[in-house]
Amino acid sequence: MRYRQYPEPYYEGLPPFNETGSPFNVVPIHEYPELMQQCCDLINSEWPRSDTARMRSLETSCDTLPVCLILTTDGLRQVIAHCKLSPIPGKKNACFCESVVVHQNHRGQGFGRLIMKCAEDYCRLMLDLDSVYLSTTDQEGFYEKIGYEYCAPVSMYGPRNCELRSLESGKKKYLRKKL
């Protein structure tokens, strides 16, 4: 998948990616299985879980949904960011962006914006989706800056005949972006 730089202000300051000579690439993890353990370690550094469970989740990545995208550098040898895009039952033109994480040594350098932009492009260009949903407990300011707006809670488990109060309680905020 080829990406290009965009002239819009949102993209100013992003490092070049997926271009000849660029040190950065965003690729689906299933195309680079040799990077799965490194990706597993990155995600577990933020949200600890057994390697077995995490690896099984990464191994579900495919060309449709779910797909795990990774931001790499050093000639596709170092994983510096990850995000997983999952289907939302009942919303066939949308997906849920989960487990977005940037390696601690690379935070504050625009890589969060970069992986989100690439994920949005992948959704629009490769999956023909028109919306991305996500939830966060502490990064809503970041997502608002890149165009996400608050929305009603979204269930990853499909439509329900009743409201799920557990989706509305707590600190979790739900956001959506139209692509």
Side-chain angles (χ1 to χ4, degrees), residues 20-146:
T20 304
S22 169
F24 305 106
N25 292 284
V26 175
V27 295
I29 189 83
H30 59 273
E31 293 180 6
Y32 296 88
E34 68 275 14
L35 297 175
M36 281 193 189
Q37 184 60 56
Q38 201 179 137
C39 187
C40 175
D41 295 342
L42 170 63
I43 301 166
N44 280 343
S45 72
E46 192 73 20
W47 305 288
R49 190 174 172 195
S50 78
D51 278 5
T52 302
R54 188 70 68 198
M55 290 296 279
R56 282 193 180 137
S57 176
L58 291 171
E59 289 169 351
T60 65
S61 180
C62 62
D63 288 334
T64 57
L65 292 174
V67 61
C68 295
L69 300 175
I70 54 172
L71 172 60
T72 67
T73 191
D74 194 23
L76 293 166
R77 290 186 300 221
Q78 183 182 6
V79 176
I80 58 176
H82 164 270
C83 80
K84 181 176 182 180
L85 304 171
S86 296
I88 303 172
K91 293 186 181 291
K92 71 176 190 174
N93 291 329
C95 71
F96 197 87
C97 183
E98 56 181 308
S99 64
V100 178
V101 62
V102 175
H103 191 284
Q104 197 166 14
N105 295 342
H106 297 282
R107 292 180 185 168
Q109 300 173 42
F111 295 116
R113 287 184 297 144
L114 179 57
I115 193 135
M116 289 303 297
K117 175 60 188 147
C118 292
E120 293 160 7
D121 286 350
Y122 192 91
C123 289
R124 190 177 60 257
L125 301 172
M126 303 300 287
L127 302 175
D128 197 28
L129 302 178
D130 61 25
S131 296
V132 176
Y133 291 82
L134 56 82
S135 66
T136 184
T137 58
D138 61 353
Q139 294 296 319
E140 56 269 19
F142 165 75
Y143 292 112
E144 285 180 287
K145 284 180 189 174
I146 62 171

